[in-house]
Amino acid sequence: AVALIESVPPGGRVVLTGVGKSGHVARKVAASMSSTGTSAFFVHATEALHGDLGSIRAGDVCIAISYSGETQETLAAMRGFQKLSGGCIAITSNLRSSLGRECDVCLELGSITELDHNRLAPTASTAAAMALGDALTVVISKRRRFTRGDFDLFHPGGQLGLQNKMALAAEELEEQLLVKGELMAEEKH
């Protein structure tokens, strides 16, 4: 999955899709990728089938999220993405699901028991999908050597932006003090 995302050419993007709770996870992962240097956006699978496939470019990579791997809208959207893009990655519970089999790469979550009393509401499965998406985001960011300075460009606002600016200022001050200390040491010799 990392290699496929790293193969996105300049100007290409990572397009995340899904419906229901998986769609919410996909939207969040797209936002995290964008703020850490990977150009990404979310397209709702149903909207993709009603014209939003037009936003896909050759070279884009799709990440389709569906716990069952059998969600009809997600499967149909992914098939459209495959015709237009540079590849598709599935995040699903079952490697042998339709989504798992039809995508170029499948990241399998495995069987997960939901946390509600009926064992139906997407809870543990959405947390697992989000954790996997976040892990993918962090690995790609690290491999691209995404820095605090880069983060400042993409996420200057809010408490995170403020914390990052303070850390950048502290790093700059530390560097200035080190240089000044080295110069003083040289003057003594």
PDB file of all heavy atoms in Angstrom, residues 2 7 16 29 49 53 56 68 84-87 96 109 135 152 160 173 176 186-187:
ATOM      1  N   VAL A   2       1.934   1.226   0.794  1.00  0.00           N
ATOM      2  CA  VAL A   2       2.830   2.384   0.855  1.00  0.00           C
ATOM      3  C   VAL A   2       3.467   2.616  -0.515  1.00  0.00           C
ATOM      4  O   VAL A   2       3.508   3.749  -1.001  1.00  0.00           O
ATOM      5  CB  VAL A   2       3.902   2.198   1.953  1.00  0.00           C
ATOM      6  CG1 VAL A   2       4.957   3.280   1.879  1.00  0.00           C
ATOM      7  CG2 VAL A   2       3.247   2.173   3.331  1.00  0.00           C
ATOM      8  N   SER A   7       3.869   5.865  -5.421  1.00  0.00           N
ATOM      9  CA  SER A   7       3.958   5.897  -6.883  1.00  0.00           C
ATOM     10  C   SER A   7       3.104   6.994  -7.499  1.00  0.00           C
ATOM     11  O   SER A   7       3.176   7.217  -8.710  1.00  0.00           O
ATOM     12  CB  SER A   7       3.537   4.537  -7.467  1.00  0.00           C
ATOM     13  OG  SER A   7       2.115   4.389  -7.428  1.00  0.00           O
ATOM     14  N   LEU A  16      -9.915   8.940  -1.119  1.00  0.00           N
ATOM     15  CA  LEU A  16     -10.514   7.978  -0.196  1.00  0.00           C
ATOM     16  C   LEU A  16     -12.018   7.938  -0.392  1.00  0.00           C
ATOM     17  O   LEU A  16     -12.643   8.977  -0.650  1.00  0.00           O
ATOM     18  CB  LEU A  16     -10.167   8.317   1.251  1.00  0.00           C
ATOM     19  CG  LEU A  16      -8.708   7.979   1.563  1.00  0.00           C
ATOM     20  CD1 LEU A  16      -7.837   9.183   1.471  1.00  0.00           C
ATOM     21  CD2 LEU A  16      -8.587   7.279   2.879  1.00  0.00           C
ATOM     22  N   VAL A  29      -9.286  10.156   7.409  1.00  0.00           N
ATOM     23  CA  VAL A  29      -7.957   9.746   6.954  1.00  0.00           C
ATOM     24  C   VAL A  29      -7.482  10.666   5.828  1.00  0.00           C
ATOM     25  O   VAL A  29      -6.315  11.063   5.801  1.00  0.00           O
ATOM     26  CB  VAL A  29      -7.946   8.257   6.530  1.00  0.00           C
ATOM     27  CG1 VAL A  29      -6.626   7.875   5.872  1.00  0.00           C
ATOM     28  CG2 VAL A  29      -8.220   7.355   7.745  1.00  0.00           C
ATOM     29  N   LEU A  49     -20.651   7.853  -8.044  1.00  0.00           N
ATOM     30  CA  LEU A  49     -21.475   7.216  -9.075  1.00  0.00           C
ATOM     31  C   LEU A  49     -22.422   8.195  -9.753  1.00  0.00           C
ATOM     32  O   LEU A  49     -23.073   7.847 -10.749  1.00  0.00           O
ATOM     33  CB  LEU A  49     -22.269   6.060  -8.465  1.00  0.00           C
ATOM     34  CG  LEU A  49     -21.419   4.970  -7.809  1.00  0.00           C
ATOM     35  CD1 LEU A  49     -22.290   3.962  -7.100  1.00  0.00           C
ATOM     36  CD2 LEU A  49     -20.515   4.311  -8.840  1.00  0.00           C
ATOM     37  N   LEU A  53     -16.908  10.947 -10.111  1.00  0.00           N
ATOM     38  CA  LEU A  53     -15.771  10.236 -10.693  1.00  0.00           C
ATOM     39  C   LEU A  53     -14.998  11.163 -11.628  1.00  0.00           C
ATOM     40  O   LEU A  53     -13.826  10.933 -11.907  1.00  0.00           O
ATOM     41  CB  LEU A  53     -16.234   8.991 -11.464  1.00  0.00           C
ATOM     42  CG  LEU A  53     -16.583   7.775 -10.617  1.00  0.00           C
ATOM     43  CD1 LEU A  53     -17.227   6.692 -11.472  1.00  0.00           C
ATOM     44  CD2 LEU A  53     -15.359   7.227  -9.903  1.00  0.00           C
ATOM     45  N   ILE A  56     -11.461  12.417 -10.683  1.00  0.00           N
ATOM     46  CA  ILE A  56     -10.333  11.485 -10.625  1.00  0.00           C
ATOM     47  C   ILE A  56      -9.428  11.694 -11.837  1.00  0.00           C
ATOM     48  O   ILE A  56      -9.889  11.852 -12.962  1.00  0.00           O
ATOM     49  CB  ILE A  56     -10.840  10.019 -10.593  1.00  0.00           C
ATOM     50  CG1 ILE A  56     -11.870   9.821  -9.478  1.00  0.00           C
ATOM     51  CG2 ILE A  56      -9.668   9.046 -10.458  1.00  0.00           C
ATOM     52  CD1 ILE A  56     -11.410  10.249  -8.104  1.00  0.00           C
ATOM     53  N   SER A  68     -17.228  -4.848   5.501  1.00  0.00           N
ATOM     54  CA  SER A  68     -17.646  -6.121   4.903  1.00  0.00           C
ATOM     55  C   SER A  68     -16.917  -6.400   3.595  1.00  0.00           C
ATOM     56  O   SER A  68     -16.740  -7.563   3.219  1.00  0.00           O
ATOM     57  CB  SER A  68     -19.158  -6.118   4.642  1.00  0.00           C
ATOM     58  OG  SER A  68     -19.476  -5.210   3.581  1.00  0.00           O
ATOM     59  N   LEU A  84     -10.081   4.827 -14.075  1.00  0.00           N
ATOM     60  CA  LEU A  84      -9.565   6.188 -14.234  1.00  0.00           C
ATOM     61  C   LEU A  84      -8.239   6.452 -13.539  1.00  0.00           C
ATOM     62  O   LEU A  84      -7.536   7.395 -13.885  1.00  0.00           O
ATOM     63  CB  LEU A  84     -10.598   7.185 -13.686  1.00  0.00           C
ATOM     64  CG  LEU A  84     -11.959   7.167 -14.370  1.00  0.00           C
ATOM     65  CD1 LEU A  84     -12.978   7.924 -13.534  1.00  0.00           C
ATOM     66  CD2 LEU A  84     -11.845   7.750 -15.765  1.00  0.00           C
ATOM     67  N   SER A  85      -7.899   5.651 -12.532  1.00  0.00           N
ATOM     68  CA  SER A  85      -6.787   5.996 -11.646  1.00  0.00           C
ATOM     69  C   SER A  85      -5.600   5.066 -11.810  1.00  0.00           C
ATOM     70  O   SER A  85      -5.598   4.178 -12.652  1.00  0.00           O
ATOM     71  CB  SER A  85      -7.273   5.973 -10.192  1.00  0.00           C
ATOM     72  OG  SER A  85      -7.494   4.637  -9.775  1.00  0.00           O
ATOM     73  N   GLY A  86      -4.617   5.275 -10.929  1.00  0.00           N
ATOM     74  CA  GLY A  86      -3.395   4.490 -10.961  1.00  0.00           C
ATOM     75  C   GLY A  86      -3.401   3.271 -10.052  1.00  0.00           C
ATOM     76  O   GLY A  86      -2.389   2.598  -9.927  1.00  0.00           O
ATOM     77  N   GLY A  87      -4.520   2.976  -9.408  1.00  0.00           N
ATOM     78  CA  GLY A  87      -4.596   1.791  -8.569  1.00  0.00           C
ATOM     79  C   GLY A  87      -5.535   1.983  -7.395  1.00  0.00           C
ATOM     80  O   GLY A  87      -5.895   3.111  -7.055  1.00  0.00           O
ATOM     81  N   ARG A  96     -10.776 -11.937   1.170  1.00  0.00           N
ATOM     82  CA  ARG A  96     -11.514 -12.666   0.135  1.00  0.00           C
ATOM     83  C   ARG A  96     -12.837 -11.993  -0.240  1.00  0.00           C
ATOM     84  O   ARG A  96     -13.586 -12.516  -1.056  1.00  0.00           O
ATOM     85  CB  ARG A  96     -11.755 -14.098   0.584  1.00  0.00           C
ATOM     86  CG  ARG A  96     -10.470 -14.905   0.682  1.00  0.00           C
ATOM     87  CD  ARG A  96     -10.719 -16.337   1.172  1.00  0.00           C
ATOM     88  NE  ARG A  96      -9.473 -17.007   1.439  1.00  0.00           N
ATOM     89  CZ  ARG A  96      -8.813 -16.958   2.585  1.00  0.00           C
ATOM     90  NH1 ARG A  96      -9.290 -16.250   3.595  1.00  0.00           N
ATOM     91  NH2 ARG A  96      -7.680 -17.608   2.748  1.00  0.00           N
ATOM     92  N   LEU A 109      -8.281  -6.080   7.926  1.00  0.00           N
ATOM     93  CA  LEU A 109      -8.470  -5.811   9.348  1.00  0.00           C
ATOM     94  C   LEU A 109      -8.705  -7.090  10.144  1.00  0.00           C
ATOM     95  O   LEU A 109      -8.440  -7.127  11.343  1.00  0.00           O
ATOM     96  CB  LEU A 109      -9.670  -4.879   9.560  1.00  0.00           C
ATOM     97  CG  LEU A 109      -9.559  -3.494   8.957  1.00  0.00           C
ATOM     98  CD1 LEU A 109     -10.909  -2.789   9.009  1.00  0.00           C
ATOM     99  CD2 LEU A 109      -8.503  -2.687   9.688  1.00  0.00           C
ATOM    100  N   ALA A 135      -2.006   4.911  10.647  1.00  0.00           N
ATOM    101  CA  ALA A 135      -0.675   4.296  10.559  1.00  0.00           C
ATOM    102  C   ALA A 135      -0.097   4.477   9.154  1.00  0.00           C
ATOM    103  O   ALA A 135       1.085   4.825   8.994  1.00  0.00           O
ATOM    104  CB  ALA A 135      -0.752   2.812  10.925  1.00  0.00           C
ATOM    105  N   ASP A 152       3.751  23.211   9.516  1.00  0.00           N
ATOM    106  CA  ASP A 152       3.357  24.606   9.720  1.00  0.00           C
ATOM    107  C   ASP A 152       2.712  25.190   8.460  1.00  0.00           C
ATOM    108  O   ASP A 152       1.794  26.011   8.553  1.00  0.00           O
ATOM    109  CB  ASP A 152       4.568  25.441  10.129  1.00  0.00           C
ATOM    110  CG  ASP A 152       4.192  26.839  10.591  1.00  0.00           C
ATOM    111  OD1 ASP A 152       3.267  26.971  11.411  1.00  0.00           O
ATOM    112  OD2 ASP A 152       4.820  27.795  10.120  1.00  0.00           O
ATOM    113  N   LEU A 160      -2.920  22.877  17.655  1.00  0.00           N
ATOM    114  CA  LEU A 160      -1.789  22.145  17.066  1.00  0.00           C
ATOM    115  C   LEU A 160      -0.840  23.089  16.339  1.00  0.00           C
ATOM    116  O   LEU A 160       0.382  22.958  16.449  1.00  0.00           O
ATOM    117  CB  LEU A 160      -2.287  21.082  16.082  1.00  0.00           C
ATOM    118  CG  LEU A 160      -2.779  19.777  16.663  1.00  0.00           C
ATOM    119  CD1 LEU A 160      -3.276  18.864  15.544  1.00  0.00           C
ATOM    120  CD2 LEU A 160      -1.703  19.093  17.464  1.00  0.00           C
ATOM    121  N   LEU A 173      15.829  28.725  18.370  1.00  0.00           N
ATOM    122  CA  LEU A 173      16.604  29.325  19.458  1.00  0.00           C
ATOM    123  C   LEU A 173      17.742  28.396  19.872  1.00  0.00           C
ATOM    124  O   LEU A 173      18.872  28.835  20.074  1.00  0.00           O
ATOM    125  CB  LEU A 173      15.696  29.629  20.655  1.00  0.00           C
ATOM    126  CG  LEU A 173      16.367  30.267  21.874  1.00  0.00           C
ATOM    127  CD1 LEU A 173      17.016  31.596  21.497  1.00  0.00           C
ATOM    128  CD2 LEU A 173      15.343  30.455  22.986  1.00  0.00           C
ATOM    129  N   GLN A 176      20.460  28.631  17.336  1.00  0.00           N
ATOM    130  CA  GLN A 176      21.199  29.893  17.471  1.00  0.00           C
ATOM    131  C   GLN A 176      22.162  29.831  18.658  1.00  0.00           C
ATOM    132  O   GLN A 176      23.295  30.304  18.567  1.00  0.00           O
ATOM    133  CB  GLN A 176      20.228  31.057  17.639  1.00  0.00           C
ATOM    134  CG  GLN A 176      19.459  31.390  16.388  1.00  0.00           C
ATOM    135  CD  GLN A 176      18.364  32.419  16.628  1.00  0.00           C
ATOM    136  OE1 GLN A 176      18.142  32.852  17.752  1.00  0.00           O
ATOM    137  NE2 GLN A 176      17.675  32.804  15.561  1.00  0.00           N
ATOM    138  N   GLU A 186      35.494  28.873  19.687  1.00  0.00           N
ATOM    139  CA  GLU A 186      36.552  29.112  18.696  1.00  0.00           C
ATOM    140  C   GLU A 186      37.365  30.361  19.061  1.00  0.00           C
ATOM    141  O   GLU A 186      38.570  30.396  18.839  1.00  0.00           O
ATOM    142  CB  GLU A 186      35.944  29.260  17.293  1.00  0.00           C
ATOM    143  CG  GLU A 186      35.455  27.972  16.696  1.00  0.00           C
ATOM    144  CD  GLU A 186      34.795  28.174  15.333  1.00  0.00           C
ATOM    145  OE1 GLU A 186      34.903  29.287  14.741  1.00  0.00           O
ATOM    146  OE2 GLU A 186      34.156  27.221  14.876  1.00  0.00           O
ATOM    147  N   GLU A 187      36.687  31.402  19.563  1.00  0.00           N
ATOM    148  CA  GLU A 187      37.377  32.629  19.933  1.00  0.00           C
ATOM    149  C   GLU A 187      38.361  32.403  21.060  1.00  0.00           C
ATOM    150  O   GLU A 187      39.394  33.074  21.134  1.00  0.00           O
ATOM    151  CB  GLU A 187      36.364  33.695  20.309  1.00  0.00           C
ATOM    152  CG  GLU A 187      35.581  34.260  19.147  1.00  0.00           C
ATOM    153  CD  GLU A 187      34.504  35.250  19.549  1.00  0.00           C
ATOM    154  OE1 GLU A 187      34.379  35.558  20.775  1.00  0.00           O
ATOM    155  OE2 GLU A 187      33.780  35.716  18.678  1.00  0.00           O
TER     156      GLU A 187
END
